[in-house]
Amino acid sequence: MSRRISHSALVVGSIGVLINIVDAIGTGRLEPHAVFPAVVALGVGGDLLKERRPRTAKALYAVTSVLLVVAGSVAGARAWASLFRGTSYDWLDLALGVLVVLYVAVGAGLLLARLSRRTSRSRMNASMLSE
C-alpha cells in the first residue's frame, strides 16, 4: 500500500475511533462493530511501521488480530443467537461473525502449514545427518 493511502486510512480510522467514542459516551453502550475503525487504524499503523520498527509492527498486527476476533465473535454470536431465536438481528453483525470464522480458519490453516513445513525440514535435516 502506498504511504499516501496508508496515511489517509490512518486518518479516517482515527476519526472513526473518535466518533465511536463520542457515540459510546452519548448512548452509554459500545457496540462490537464500533471497534472496526480501531482495527483499521492499528493495521495501517503496523503497515507504516513495518520497515522502521518491525517488532512494533508485529505487535500492532497481533493486537489488531485479537481485537478483530473478539469484536467479530461478540457481534456474530449476538446475531446468530437472535437468528436462531427468531428475533430481529443485524445483518452486519451476522456477516462479521461469518468473516471472523473464516479469518480464524485461514489463520489456523496457515499456522498448521508452517508447522508442517518446519517438521518436514527438521526430518530432512535429521535424515541427512544420519547418512
Side-chain angles (χ1 to χ4, degrees):
M1 194 177 331
S2 75
R3 293 189 75 70
R4 175 175 274 174
I5 293 173
S6 295
H7 285 288
S8 300
L10 184 61
V11 168
V12 169
S14 299
I15 291 170
V17 168
L18 292 174
I19 290 170
N20 287 331
I21 288 172
V22 170
D23 184 49
I25 291 170
T27 61
R29 182 175 174 177
L30 180 65
E31 293 294 324
H33 57 264
V35 300
F36 285 95
V39 168
V40 170
L42 289 170
V44 171
D47 190 46
L48 289 170
L49 291 173
K50 188 170 37 179
E51 294 173 4
R52 291 186 180 166
R53 304 221 187 268
R55 294 179 79 190
T56 305
K58 283 185 181 183
L60 282 176
Y61 288 142
V63 169
T64 303
S65 296
V66 169
L67 187 62
L68 177 69
V69 169
V70 169
S73 297
V74 169
R78 285 182 187 172
W80 282 102
S82 296
L83 178 69
F84 291 131
R85 281 191 306 248
T87 59
S88 65
Y89 55 91
D90 188 2
W91 280 99
L92 175 64
D93 290 344
L94 195 65
L96 289 174
V98 170
L99 289 175
V100 164
V101 168
L102 293 174
Y103 180 76
V104 170
V106 168
L110 290 172
L111 182 63
L112 289 174
R114 181 181 294 166
L115 292 175
S116 174
R117 279 190 299 239
R118 281 187 183 169
T119 304
S120 67
R121 268 192 247 146
S122 64
R123 285 184 188 160
M124 286 177 40
N125 291 340
S127 68
M128 291 181 134
L129 290 175
S130 66
E131 291 177 0

